[in-house]
């Protein structure tokens, strides 16, 4: 039954949070098998399972497998939900994260920018998820040594976080930290 798949998926999420990635992967694969059997191979729940499995694969250092699963999820979401659905932004983020982990920063930027475009359209320019996209893009430009672009994205992220979350939120601290590391990398911190 699909509710059993939901349970496997939720229990897998708990194991993932505990750092038990192999156990989480096993449970996500059980959920996937049930959803495919009960709902068909192109149901949005199947895409959720593919993304969960991809996430576990990435955490286990299996980046190529992770990318394969995230691409499967994206294909289903594009077909079933359309090109501007908010779930696609999450899938683009996941794919961008895998490319980042592989050191493929140009590809990562491309996917994070796709996510940002959807989030801007669906959520507006002041949403914390939009700020996260700007932060991710800033991080990649930092890795690429494009410090001006990195700082520009970090500043946009910080502005949104301050406005929406307040000065004491951990995301604001993270923004300041990223900006400080960037300035340090450029020798501008004394």
């Amino acid at each position: 039954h699909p509710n059993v798949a939901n349970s496997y998926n939720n229990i897998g999420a708990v194991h993932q949070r505990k750092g038990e990635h192999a156990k989480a992967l096993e449970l996500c694969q059980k959920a996937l098998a049930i959803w495919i059997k009960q709902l068909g191979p192109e149901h949005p729940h199947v895409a959720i399972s593919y993304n969960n499995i991809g996430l576990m694969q990435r955490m286990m250092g299996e980046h190529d497998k992770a990318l394969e699963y995230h691409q499967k999820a994206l294909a289903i979401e594009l077909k079933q939900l359309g090109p501007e659905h908010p779930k696609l932004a999450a899938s683009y983020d996941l794919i961008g994260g895998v490319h980042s982990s592989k050191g493929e920063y140009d590809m990562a930027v491309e996917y994070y920018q796709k996510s940002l475009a959807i989030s801007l359209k669906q959520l507006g320019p002041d949403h914390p998820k939009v700020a996260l996209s700007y932060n991710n893009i800033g991080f990649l430009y930092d890795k690429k040594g494009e410090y001006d672009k990195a700082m520009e994205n970090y500043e946009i992220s910080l502005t949104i976080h301050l406005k929406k979350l307040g000065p004491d939120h951990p995301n604001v601290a993270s923004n300041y930290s990223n900006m400080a590391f960037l300035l340090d990398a450029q020798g501008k911190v004394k």
Side-chain angles (χ1 to χ4, degrees):
H1 192 277
N3 287 345
V4 174
N6 280 333
S7 293
Y8 280 134
N9 193 56
N10 292 339
I11 296 167
V14 172
H15 284 284
Q16 181 264 327
R17 286 185 193 101
K18 291 173 61 178
E20 299 168 352
H21 306 304
K23 183 66 177 174
L25 177 61
E26 176 189 331
L27 293 164
C28 289
Q29 288 169 330
K30 286 182 179 184
L32 174 64
I34 293 170
W35 277 331
I36 288 174
K37 183 176 180 182
Q38 296 298 319
L39 305 174
E42 295 188 346
H43 192 278
H45 282 20
V46 172
I48 290 169
S49 271
Y50 282 144
N51 271 336
N52 289 342
I53 291 169
L55 183 60
M56 293 310 105
Q57 295 287 0
R58 179 180 173 200
M59 291 182 172
M60 295 168 60
E62 299 288 338
H63 298 111
D64 291 332
K65 287 181 185 178
L67 197 53
E68 178 184 331
Y69 280 100
H70 291 316
Q71 292 286 4
K72 286 180 182 183
L74 180 63
I76 292 169
E77 291 168 347
L78 282 166
K79 184 174 182 178
Q80 299 298 326
L81 305 174
E84 295 181 350
H85 193 280
K87 286 190 183 254
L88 266 75
S91 288
Y92 285 135
D93 274 341
L94 291 167
I95 293 169
V98 174
H99 283 296
S100 178
S101 294
K102 293 176 70 174
E104 298 169 346
Y105 302 128
D106 290 331
M107 288 295 294
V109 167
E110 180 181 325
Y111 279 96
Y112 281 137
Q113 286 176 333
K114 288 179 181 185
S115 174
L116 175 61
I118 293 170
S119 295
L120 281 167
K121 186 167 187 169
Q122 298 298 325
L123 304 172
D126 291 335
H127 196 280
K129 286 187 180 181
V130 170
L132 180 60
S133 289
Y134 280 116
N135 189 65
N136 289 339
I137 292 167
F139 174 79
L140 293 168
Y141 280 127
D142 187 356
K143 288 289 191 186
K144 292 174 55 170
E146 297 180 37
Y147 301 126
D148 290 340
K149 288 182 180 180
M151 186 58 77
E152 178 183 330
N153 281 277
Y154 285 152
E155 287 173 348
I156 295 168
S157 178
L158 175 64
T159 299
I160 296 167
H161 279 142
L162 283 169
K163 181 177 180 180
K164 291 296 182 177
L165 304 175
D168 296 327
H169 195 276
N171 288 5
V172 171
S174 177
N175 282 131
Y176 283 130
S177 178
N178 289 341
M179 294 166 84
F181 282 122
L182 176 61
L183 292 172
D184 187 50
Q186 298 177 72
K188 294 181 179 178
V189 175
K190 298 179 184 191

